[in-house]
Structure formats: C-alpha cells, structure tokens
C-alpha cells in the first residue's frame, strides 16, 4: 500500500473495506445455508441485508471524498473467509458446526469493527463529519451483529453443542 498522507491512506483503506464487504456478501448465503439453527440462519440473513446497506454507505463515503468506488483485494478478509469455508466443509455434528460458524462469523465482525473504527477516526481528523457519521452508523450495526451472535451462542447454540459431550467435559480440563 502506498499513501503519502492521511487522505490517501483513507482512500486506500476504504477500497480495501469495500472489497471486504463485497466478499462478505458473496459468502453469507453459503454460511446461512450451512447453519442448522433457525435463529442463527435468521441472524445471518438479516446481516446479509445490512451488509448491502454497508456497501451503499461506503459508496456514499467514496462520493463524499471524490473517489471512484473501487475494490482493492482485502487479503485479511479473504483469509478469514477461507478459515470460515473450512468450517462449512468440516464434517461435524450440526450443533458443533453452528458454534463454529458463530466463532468464524464473529472473527469477521471484529475485523470489520476494527477497520470501520479506524476509518471513522481518519474521517473525523480530516474534518469529514458526514463520512465519519456514515462509518459510525455501520460500526454500530457491526457491534449489534456481534452482540446478537454472542446472545445466540450463549443462550442456545453453545449449550446444545455442550450436550454433544454427553455431560462430559473432556476437552475443558486440558484448557486449564
């Protein structure tokens, strides 16, 4: 990446994030199809709708900055999604797969939150309050999605996955 100033860094990171969101849009239908929990499927489908909004917001930010919307390959997101693809292909009980899907999806959410937070901060420093507001809106929604996944995991999926152990806590002792 080449950037001589914060404006150029902002534009480069914006292109990277634009690609990341496009990659997520392509991956979400496969992730939703692999989930067995109706609640998890619903959350993933809702997030796909939100991701379309996120792409539109990024296009607004591009316009505000006078930069043509352009995808620059986001290797970080590609790596996270490749890991997630491994979860989808893995042969495991549905309850365990749902728990793994949540973990993989939250990795993606956390990556997005980090990038949106950085871009929002850049926009603030550059005095682009409207871009900062748009980026903050998406950051808030990514945080909400992460909290929703946590609730689904903590209140249903993880307990269902734990029941696959037949009450045994074999792997847990080795973590201590």
């Amino acid at each position: 990446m080449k950037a001589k100033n914060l404006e150029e860094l902002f534009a480069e990171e914006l292109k990277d994030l634009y690609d990341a969101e496009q990659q997520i849009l392509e991956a979400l239908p496969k992730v939703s199809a692999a989930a067995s929990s109706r609640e998890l499927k619903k959350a993933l489908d809702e997030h796909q709708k939100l991701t379309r909004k996120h792409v539109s917001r990024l296009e607004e930010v591009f316009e505000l900055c006078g930069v043509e919307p352009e995808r620059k390959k986001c290797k970080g997101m590609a790596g996270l999604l490749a890991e997630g693809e491994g979860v989808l292909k893995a042969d495991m009980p549905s309850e365990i797969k749902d728990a793994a899907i949540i973990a993989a999806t939250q990795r993606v959410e956390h990556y997005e939150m980090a990038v949106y937070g950085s871009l929002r901060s850049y926009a603030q420093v550059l005095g682009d309050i409207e871009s900062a507001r748009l980026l903050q809106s998406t950051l808030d929604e990514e945080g909400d999605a992460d909290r929703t996944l946590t609730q689904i995991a903590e209140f249903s999926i993880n307990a269902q996955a734990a029941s696959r152990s037949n009450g045994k806590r074999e792997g847990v002792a080795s973590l201590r």
Side-chain angles (χ1 to χ4, degrees):
M1 173 188 323
K2 266 171 95 171
K4 292 179 245 145
N5 55 46
L6 192 59
E7 290 92 349
E8 288 181 11
L9 178 61
F10 182 75
E12 288 300 306
E13 292 288 343
L14 197 57
K15 292 172 187 177
D16 188 79
L17 183 57
Y18 190 58
D19 181 70
E21 290 286 21
Q22 300 286 352
Q23 288 182 55
I24 292 165
L25 271 177
E26 293 166 16
L28 275 170
K30 292 183 266 184
V31 177
S32 180
S36 62
S37 159
R38 276 184 288 187
E39 188 177 17
L40 179 55
K41 280 181 181 287
K42 182 180 175 194
L44 293 166
D45 293 342
E46 277 299 310
H47 197 64
Q48 185 174 4
K49 291 175 191 169
L50 272 177
T51 302
R52 285 189 193 99
K53 278 185 178 177
H54 300 168
V55 168
S56 293
R57 277 194 199 124
L58 287 174
E59 290 167 350
E60 285 183 63
V61 173
F62 276 115
E63 188 175 324
L64 288 166
C65 299
V67 175
E68 192 65 32
E70 180 183 328
R71 289 175 70 166
K72 182 182 129 200
K73 182 67 175 177
C74 180
K75 295 176 186 174
M77 187 56 67
L80 289 171
L81 294 176
E83 279 187 21
E85 185 75 26
V87 167
L88 302 184
K89 291 178 179 177
D91 181 25
M92 59 180 91
S94 61
E95 301 89 351
I96 306 301
K97 185 172 274 192
D98 282 350
I101 286 171
I102 289 173
T105 304
Q106 285 188 296
R107 284 183 189 95
V108 168
E109 292 300 331
H110 292 191
Y111 182 91
E112 288 180 286
M113 288 186 295
V115 179
Y116 274 105
S118 294
L119 285 173
R120 185 253 358 256
S121 295
Y122 296 163
Q124 287 172 331
V125 168
L126 293 168
D128 185 351
I129 304 309
E130 183 59 18
S131 290
R133 186 190 65 74
L134 291 167
L135 294 163
Q136 182 64 53
S137 293
T138 302
L139 178 58
D140 292 342
E141 290 169 357
E142 298 293 4
D144 290 344
D146 182 57
R147 283 185 289 283
T148 296
L149 290 168
T150 296
Q151 289 174 347
I152 293 169
E154 291 179 350
F155 294 111
S156 65
I157 302 293
N158 291 351
Q160 292 169 16
S163 71
R164 295 289 300 182
S165 310
N166 296 327
K168 299 175 188 167
R169 301 189 64 161
E170 299 160 4
V172 176
S174 65
L175 295 175
R176 294 185 184 152

